[in-house]
Amino acid sequence: ERPDSLLIDNREQMNRVSMYKGWGFVLCSALLILWLVGRALGRLETVNRMLHDTLEEERSLKQILSDQKQVLLRRNLELDETRGQVLRKNASLIDYQHNVRKMLYRDDWTGLPNRRALNGYLTGHIQRRPSTPLVVIYMDLDNFKLINDVHGHSFGDGFIRAAAIRLRGALPPKWLLYRMGGDEFIYCGSGETAGSDPDEVSEAIIRAFRLPL
């Protein structure tokens, strides 16, 4: 009987050992799982922090970009306004230069080119086309001083304007008409236009004044 009881005791001990080993394995496995889960949770928390920081940086960058965009828009508006001011000033300057040139080279009363314009035309013609024929016809109005003395200078100014209109009407094609000052006028023709007979041009001017002004 003793060997049988020893065999039973050994079996019970082996069963206990196996049970302890099983529980130990389960416990170790549970601890390992808990450690792995804790490690994974730690990494997940780290990733969440990194993701949160990244989102915050992205929001900050978006805000910075939005602010920079607003600054750029304001600067573009300022540049557009400055460009508009420059263009307006440039247009004003061009108008001013045009008016100055008009005052320098145009007669105030008749609107015809004046003595300065004639000098520039003759100088340019001689320099650029010295061999091209040029015809110059000088004329004045007879008894204009008497008109001023009898009717006054205001009437005389109106008479000069009316005479300039009459002279324009007698102007041959491509010829130029200048007012030298007072009652003096100059007709100029060059190149092909100079082919017109100066005597015929002069006769046309005289005929234009046969009718009363």
Side-chain angles (χ1 to χ4, degrees):
E1 291 180 1
R2 187 163 184 80
D4 291 337
S5 62
L6 289 174
L7 182 59
I8 292 172
D9 291 339
N10 289 335
R11 287 179 179 175
E12 291 177 354
Q13 290 177 359
M14 290 177 65
N15 289 333
R16 289 193 187 95
V17 169
S18 296
M19 184 180 65
Y20 292 151
K21 285 182 178 181
W23 282 109
F25 177 76
V26 171
L27 181 61
C28 290
S29 298
L31 292 174
L32 179 60
I33 290 172
L34 288 174
W35 179 76
L36 291 173
V37 170
R39 188 175 180 182
L41 290 175
R43 290 184 176 179
L44 183 60
E45 185 178 357
T46 301
V47 171
N48 285 332
R49 284 198 301 269
M50 292 175 63
L51 181 60
H52 179 269
D53 295 340
T54 302
L55 291 175
E56 288 296 326
E57 291 178 358
E58 184 178 357
R59 291 193 190 95
S60 298
L61 288 175
K62 286 182 178 179
Q63 185 63 40
I64 293 172
L65 289 175
S66 178
D67 294 341
Q68 292 295 325
K69 184 177 180 180
Q70 294 298 324
V71 172
L72 289 175
L73 288 175
R74 286 196 298 271
R75 289 182 178 177
N76 284 335
L77 291 175
E78 292 173 357
L79 287 175
D80 290 339
E81 179 64 24
T82 302
R83 189 182 298 110
Q85 293 176 357
V86 171
L87 290 176
R88 287 191 293 271
K89 289 182 179 179
N90 187 47
S92 299
L93 180 60
I94 291 174
D95 291 339
Y96 175 76
Q97 291 174 341
H98 176 74
N99 292 332
V100 170
R101 184 177 181 83
K102 185 177 179 180
M103 288 188 293
L104 288 175
Y105 294 97
R106 289 282 172 181
D107 177 64
D108 291 337
W109 289 110
T110 62
L112 294 174
N114 58 17
R115 181 190 298 268
R116 185 179 287 107
L118 174 63
N119 291 337
Y121 171 76
L122 294 177
T123 301
H125 178 86
I126 293 171
Q127 291 176 350
R128 291 190 297 270
R129 297 179 292 175
S131 60
T132 303
L134 177 66
V135 176
V136 177
I137 299 177
Y138 168 85
M139 62 158 291
D140 62 356
L141 302 176
D142 293 341
N143 301 319
F144 179 68
K145 184 176 183 303
L146 180 61
I147 293 174
N148 270 335
D149 293 341
V150 173
H151 299 284
H153 289 281
S154 296
F155 183 89
D157 292 338
F159 184 85
I160 287 294
R161 285 192 289 269
I165 294 172
R166 189 70 61 86
L167 288 171
R168 282 197 188 98
L171 187 68
K174 298 183 181 180
W175 278 58
L176 301 174
L177 175 62
Y178 299 85
R179 185 190 178 198
M180 298 293 290
D183 63 337
E184 299 175 329
F185 296 87
I186 294 286
Y187 277 84
C188 285
S190 64
E192 295 179 358
T193 61
S196 301
D197 187 352
D199 291 334
E200 293 181 0
V201 175
S202 300
E203 287 296 330
I205 295 171
I206 293 173
R207 285 196 302 271
F209 281 88
R210 284 177 181 167
L211 296 175
L213 287 174

